[in-house]
Amino acid sequence: MYKIIILLLLATQISFSQKERKTSTYKYGHNGMELIVNKTNEIIIISTFNSKFNIKQDLANKIYDLFKNTTVCSGDILTILGEEAKVIGKCEIKKKGKLTAVNFYYQSIEWPSGLFELYKKV
């Protein structure tokens, strides 16, 4: 009898210990220039749209690293693994003279806690 009770308790603990993926949406994010790099022959501006405040600077630095290594093209859908979250978004690059604008639009954020946030337009 004790073995059945212990086995039952162990089975319930294992079944409830799994992390459940929860999906939610958000409507308002932060928009703006996060990083301005002034090189000798050009100026690069990294902007993020629909971002979350606590991860936007880290993601801007990672976007610049991707752009610097020329692995990003305009219109690409990027998956960026940040220090606090994994972000999926669209990258647009615009050039005009010496100015290059790299715009990154957040589409979804996956947090380590299992929360999956989708951006929803207002």
Side-chain angles (χ1 to χ4, degrees):
M1 183 68 172
Y2 290 113
K3 290 181 182 179
I4 294 173
I5 293 173
I6 291 174
L7 184 62
L8 183 61
L9 288 173
L10 183 62
T12 57
Q13 287 293 339
I14 291 173
S15 66
F16 287 112
S17 69
Q18 301 296 322
K19 286 188 177 180
E20 187 176 316
R21 184 174 179 181
K22 183 178 177 185
T23 302
S24 85
T25 60
Y26 68 101
K27 295 180 182 178
Y28 302 102
H30 295 268
N31 299 333
M33 292 183 276
E34 305 304 327
L35 185 63
I36 299 172
V37 179
N38 192 0
K39 292 188 171 184
T40 56
N41 57 352
E42 71 176 325
I43 297 173
I44 302 169
I45 299 174
I46 307 292
S47 299
T48 59
F49 298 91
N50 315 323
S51 65
K52 292 290 189 164
F53 182 76
N54 54 339
I55 62 172
K56 64 182 183 173
Q57 190 63 44
D58 175 42
L59 270 286
N61 290 329
K62 296 203 185 282
I63 293 165
Y64 175 68
D65 290 340
L66 287 172
F67 176 77
K68 183 174 60 174
N69 296 331
T70 63
T71 57
V72 175
C73 296
S74 187
D76 284 352
I77 302 293
L78 301 176
T79 301
I80 301 174
L81 185 61
E83 292 178 13
E84 296 183 39
K86 181 170 83 171
V87 177
I88 298 172
K90 185 175 182 181
C91 185
E92 291 181 358
I93 301 171
K94 298 178 183 178
K95 293 184 179 188
K96 186 171 185 180
K98 293 183 177 184
L99 180 65
T100 302
V102 180
N103 300 327
F104 185 75
Y105 297 87
Y106 283 51
Q107 293 176 344
S108 65
I109 304 169
E110 186 174 341
W111 299 95
S113 65
L115 177 63
F116 187 76
E117 292 185 299
L118 293 169
Y119 177 73
K120 181 180 178 183
K121 291 183 181 181
V122 180

